[in-house]
Amino acid sequence: MIAKTLKTIPLTIFLFFPAIGQCYSGIELLINDPLLFERPQSATQSEVGIALLNLLNGAKDTIDFAIFGLRDQDDILNALINAKKRGVSIRGVVDKDTDNQNYYTSTSDLLKVFPDIETDYEQDLMTLKYQSDFDYNPYCTRPYGFEGYLQCIGYSLSTDECIVASHASREPIIFRGDIMHNKFFIVDGESVWTGSTNASDSGTGGYNANTAVVVRSKEIALWFTAEFDQMYVQGRYHRAKPDESLVKRKCKLDDGSTVHVSFSPQGDTIEKLVRPLIKNAKEYIDVSIFFLTHKKLAGDLIKAHQDGVKVRVIIDATSAKNGYTKHEILRAAGIPVKVENWGGKMHMKVAAIDDKYLITGSMNWTSAGEGSNDENTLIIKNPKYTMQMHQFFDYLWNSIPDRWLKNRPDPESLDSSTACFDGADNDFDGLADSDDPGCSETPPELSELPPYWIVRKIDGNNLIKGNISKGKGFFAKDRKIYQIPGSRYYEKTIIDTQQGERWFCSLYDARENGWKSYEEYKW
């Protein structure tokens, strides 16, 4: 069976189809429903994929694309081949790792047909050559059995309590290359297809929860072309791109939408765009995300929840196994988080805020998404699109049993709908369906995540001390200095909350509140 009967829920908004010679700009918002498909599809038959094919088949002059790779999507490959036969100029960029390999198996076919496609391979080799260990001395204790980079996190739950944890992956992190993680096509210099959807059997073919937007705007197409040319023409990928954190790519379309476009890593997207929207939310925040490991964003969601904003999160079952996942921390702080139990992935990178803002694009909410991978993010201000996503979020939320508000299903198990019968390796362990132990009648227990603790803001709990200097010795009066556990003055520092001194649950919490280290004042 290829697809289930379509449900009567509106998934697409079509606006402003142009008359001949008419000046035009607008957006199509497309959403792939993961409940409609029982397995990945080789035919490009999802709404997000059909919209892409329509663009490619209508191309007259140029197609530029930057995609992670290609897997089992002959319809897309043939559309590109046919466009080339029509005389359309085609340029492309795909990802490669430090072994010059791409995760998606049909990428090699794409490269044979279009040998001029560029990759980030040389840039990854350069980054590997100069790769060095982090100069970082964590103050928290490494959890037993977790060998990856140690992330010390903490959030304030009240004036008296913190939630703290030490997050790390089970295996040491080995650099295999930063990721060219974009998924965009620019057609004839006036239309852009982009979003979370990969050109794959589980993406454009269907199965995974995904979004895409088709933006018809010469100005926005020009911005994407400039980003594409940095990679294709200049060979600049990832951290080699010049800083653009202050660049404003913002315009208003004919349909009334205001669209703000940002590219990573050079745009500082999470810090400059995403976090301010979360901090300023008043009514609700719906987050549909593949990976949510960014510790500052998790803190912003907790703070929004504490301020009375209705926060809900759906994350992917595979990412819920990751040692850096923040879903258990969010739950402990009182935020309802559901882990999907579909066969396909929760692959969206979307947030709907206050019937006003829609955040979409290719970027997961991770430090790599912001700081090293090639990504794009669109902030769309238009109630129509935000309310559409809010409605679809409700639909997905209600499809997931409340059981998964507290627990998490194994992504390759009988708990995850069709995952044991779909021919896909849903947990990326090299095994699929009956070959995966999770699909047995008595599957092994899920591996534990790093623990967390709720502690009081008192001595003995390894919290950050926010001291205010009294004007003695090197320090001038009223300088705000934080002390981390194990530092020279930590044990001697006594916190007097009556005098404005504070306990902090994390380093970034102390810094965001105006406290500095001894070294920062010294230099």
Side-chain angles (χ1 to χ4, degrees), residues 369-419:
E370 179 183 39
S372 57
N373 295 344
D374 294 312
E375 310 274 9
N376 70 86
T377 300
L378 281 71
I379 311 294
I380 302 171
K381 184 180 180 182
N382 188 321
K384 292 181 181 179
Y385 302 113
T386 311
M387 292 170 68
Q388 178 77 8
M389 187 57 64
H390 180 56
Q391 178 189 12
F392 191 75
F393 184 95
D394 283 342
Y395 163 73
L396 290 182
W397 182 268
N398 292 330
S399 78
I400 303 170
D402 288 347
R403 171 188 179 188
W404 306 121
L405 273 168
K406 294 184 178 180
N407 302 310
R408 56 189 171 96
D410 188 321
E412 190 85 45
S413 73
L414 297 174
D415 282 331
S416 290
S417 184
T418 57

Side-chain angles (χ1 to χ4, degrees), residues 116-186:
D116 292 336
I117 287 176
E118 297 289 342
T119 80
D120 62 342
Y121 173 59
E122 295 295 335
Q123 182 64 60
D124 283 343
L125 290 184
M126 186 67 68
T127 304
L128 177 63
K129 179 179 179 180
Y130 293 102
Q131 190 82 354
S132 61
D133 293 333
F134 291 103
D135 183 16
Y136 172 58
N137 296 310
Y139 58 88
C140 56
T141 303
R142 178 178 294 280
Y144 178 77
F146 293 84
E147 303 299 326
Y149 171 78
L150 185 59
Q151 186 186 72
C152 304
I153 63 170
Y155 307 102
S156 183
L157 296 181
S158 67
T159 56
D160 300 318
E161 289 185 328
C162 295
I163 181 169
V164 295
S166 305
H167 282 180
S169 56
R170 286 197 169 272
E171 302 296 330
I173 295 176
I174 300 174
F175 181 76
R176 302 294 187 191
D178 296 320
I179 302 175
M180 206 304 296
H181 196 243
N182 280 300
K183 308 100 172 40
F184 69 74
F185 287 76
I186 313 161

Side-chain angles (χ1 to χ4, degrees), residues 207-232:
Y207 204 44
N208 293 344
N210 271 308
T211 58
V213 292
V214 176
V215 185
R216 302 182 190 274
S217 162
K218 290 183 178 180
E219 187 171 14
I220 291 177
L222 185 63
W223 298 339
F224 273 85
T225 301
E227 172 69 6
F228 176 84
D229 283 345
Q230 279 203 80
M231 297 181 286
Y232 186 85

Side-chain angles (χ1 to χ4, degrees), residues 113-408:
V113 178
F114 300 99
D116 292 336
I117 287 176
E118 297 289 342
T119 80
D120 62 342
Y121 173 59
E122 295 295 335
Q123 182 64 60
D124 283 343
L125 290 184
M126 186 67 68
T127 304
L128 177 63
K129 179 179 179 180
Y130 293 102
Q131 190 82 354
S132 61
D133 293 333
F134 291 103
D135 183 16
Y136 172 58
N137 296 310
Y139 58 88
C140 56
T141 303
R142 178 178 294 280
Y144 178 77
F146 293 84
E147 303 299 326
Y149 171 78
L150 185 59
Q151 186 186 72
C152 304
I153 63 170
Y155 307 102
S156 183
L157 296 181
S158 67
T159 56
D160 300 318
E161 289 185 328
C162 295
I163 181 169
V164 295
S166 305
H167 282 180
S169 56
R170 286 197 169 272
E171 302 296 330
I173 295 176
I174 300 174
F175 181 76
R176 302 294 187 191
D178 296 320
I179 302 175
M180 206 304 296
H181 196 243
N182 280 300
K183 308 100 172 40
F184 69 74
F185 287 76
I186 313 161
V187 176
D188 292 337
E190 59 185 24
S191 298
V192 177
W193 179 98
T194 189
S196 66
T197 312
N198 284 309
S200 70
D201 50 350
S202 58
T204 47
Y207 204 44
N208 293 344
N210 271 308
T211 58
V213 292
V214 176
V215 185
R216 302 182 190 274
S217 162
K218 290 183 178 180
E219 187 171 14
I220 291 177
L222 185 63
W223 298 339
F224 273 85
T225 301
E227 172 69 6
F228 176 84
D229 283 345
Q230 279 203 80
M231 297 181 286
Y232 186 85
V233 177
Q234 300 175 28
R236 291 179 178 269
Y237 299 85
H238 317 312
R239 290 166 274 191
K241 295 176 183 176
D243 176 61
E244 294 180 358
S245 59
L246 299 179
V247 173
K248 299 295 183 184
R249 296 185 180 90
K250 192 173 183 179
C251 68
K252 191 169 185 177
L253 304 183
D254 292 347
D255 66 359
S257 301
T258 299
V259 181
H260 198 154
V261 180
S262 182
F263 298 101
S264 301
Q266 68 271 29
D268 205 8
T269 303
I270 288 178
E271 193 66 33
K272 299 296 183 183
L273 291 181
V274 179
R275 293 191 67 201
L277 289 179
I278 293 175
K279 289 179 178 181
N280 291 321
K282 298 294 186 293
E283 297 179 14
Y284 74 84
I285 303 170
D286 292 336
V287 180
S288 311
I289 199 80
F290 188 31
F291 275 90
L292 202 174
T293 62
H294 197 285
K295 61 184 182 181
K296 291 185 180 181
L297 280 175
D300 294 335
L301 292 173
I302 290 172
K303 182 63 167 57
H305 167 74
Q306 293 170 342
D307 290 342
V309 178
K310 183 181 179 181
V311 180
R312 297 180 299 173
V313 180
I314 301 175
I315 68 164
D316 182 72
T318 301
S319 77
K321 300 171 61 175
N322 185 280
Y324 301 100
T325 179
K326 299 296 180 284
H327 78 277
E328 289 199 327
I329 302 296
L330 297 181
R331 285 173 170 176
I335 296 174
V337 179
K338 283 190 174 182
V339 180
E340 57 80 21
N341 69 323
W342 320 309
K345 317 305 297 176
M346 164 46 80
H347 197 254
M348 296 179 178
K349 299 91 168 59
V350 168
I353 301 175
D354 288 351
D355 284 351
K356 186 181 295 185
Y357 294 102
L358 177 65
I359 303 172
T360 187
S362 67
M363 182 184 67
N364 284 303
W365 287 11
T366 67
S367 57
E370 179 183 39
S372 57
N373 295 344
D374 294 312
E375 310 274 9
N376 70 86
T377 300
L378 281 71
I379 311 294
I380 302 171
K381 184 180 180 182
N382 188 321
K384 292 181 181 179
Y385 302 113
T386 311
M387 292 170 68
Q388 178 77 8
M389 187 57 64
H390 180 56
Q391 178 189 12
F392 191 75
F393 184 95
D394 283 342
Y395 163 73
L396 290 182
W397 182 268
N398 292 330
S399 78
I400 303 170
D402 288 347
R403 171 188 179 188
W404 306 121
L405 273 168
K406 294 184 178 180
N407 302 310
R408 56 189 171 96

Side-chain angles (χ1 to χ4, degrees), residues 44 52 77 93 120 132 145 160 166 219 320 364 432 439 453 493:
T44 305
L52 174 58
L77 180 58
V93 170
D120 62 342
S132 61
D160 300 318
S166 305
E219 187 171 14
N364 284 303
C439 287
W453 299 270
T493 300

Side-chain angles (χ1 to χ4, degrees), residues 485-502:
S487 64
R488 180 178 178 182
Y489 300 108
Y490 183 81
E491 295 299 334
K492 296 180 180 180
T493 300
I494 306 298
I495 295 301
D496 185 353
T497 56
Q498 299 298 316
Q499 299 299 316
E501 297 183 328
R502 298 174 58 179

